[in-house]
Amino acid sequence: MQDRTTELTGKNFWSWEEFDYEEISVRGEGYTLDIYKFSEEIAEYFENPDREFFENLPPKELADIRWKRTPLKESEQEILEFVTPTYGRWKGEIVDRQDFIRQIANQPGSYYSYDDGGSTNFYLIAPDRRLVILINHNM
C-alpha cells in the first residue's frame, strides 16, 4: 500500500487498513475497495498540499484526472455512482461504506482523482477523517 500511495500523492507515508472488500469474477471483472487510515501529521499535509500535488499527481499512468477538490462536479456524478454501486446481494458494511464514500465525495474538504480507462480506478483522500480510499470497478 505504501508504494501505491506514494505514487498517487508524491508523499511517502504509512497507513493501516480500515476496510477492504473484493469481489472478482472468473472472467476478471470485479470490484475492490480499500480504505486506509493515516497519521495526524499526514492529515495536516493533506489539508493544504503543495502545488505539485494538484499539477502533476497522480501520474498519467495511474489517472486521467489529476487531484481535484471535492465536491465532485455534476458532470462527474456518473463516475461516482459507477464506483460506489450497491448491488442487490450486497448487505451491511459494504453498503454503508458506499454511502459514506458518496458523502465524502460530495462535500468540501477532500480530494479525488480517477482513471476511466478499461476499468475505473477512483481515488479519494479525506484529510479530516485521515483516510485514503482506493476503488477499482471493472465491469
Side-chain angles (χ1 to χ4, degrees), residues 11-113:
K11 186 108 176 123
N12 189 3
F13 61 93
W14 288 102
S15 58
W16 49 99
E17 191 173 82
E18 284 277 303
F19 179 80
D20 82 279
Y21 182 87
E22 182 175 292
E23 187 173 295
I24 307 294
S25 77
V26 292
R27 296 187 318 249
E29 296 173 336
Y31 184 83
T32 59
L33 167 61
D34 296 297
I35 301 176
Y36 294 92
K37 189 120 184 162
F38 48 78
S39 71
E40 189 62 46
E41 177 185 333
I42 296 302
E44 286 176 23
Y45 165 78
F46 284 125
E47 284 176 12
N48 192 19
D50 57 30
R51 220 172 70 210
E52 170 84 3
F53 177 78
F54 295 104
E55 292 179 0
N56 298 315
L57 295 167
K60 291 272 185 215
E61 309 84 68
L62 296 178
D64 299 324
I65 303 300
R66 303 262 193 243
W67 290 111
K68 294 183 187 181
R69 296 180 191 277
T70 58
L72 265 74
K73 295 178 179 143
E74 187 63 39
S75 62
E76 295 171 311
Q77 289 298 315
E78 191 174 312
I79 294 281
L80 181 60
E81 290 302 313
F82 181 71
V83 299
T84 57
T86 47
Y87 295 117
R89 66 189 180 285
W90 286 4
K91 305 264 186 275
E93 192 170 8
I94 184 65
V95 174
D96 295 342
R97 296 294 177 144
Q98 303 295 40
D99 292 341
F100 175 71
I101 292 164
R102 280 188 225 103
Q103 180 184 32
I104 291 171
N106 284 306
Q107 293 177 347
S110 298
Y111 309 100
Y112 69 98
S113 175

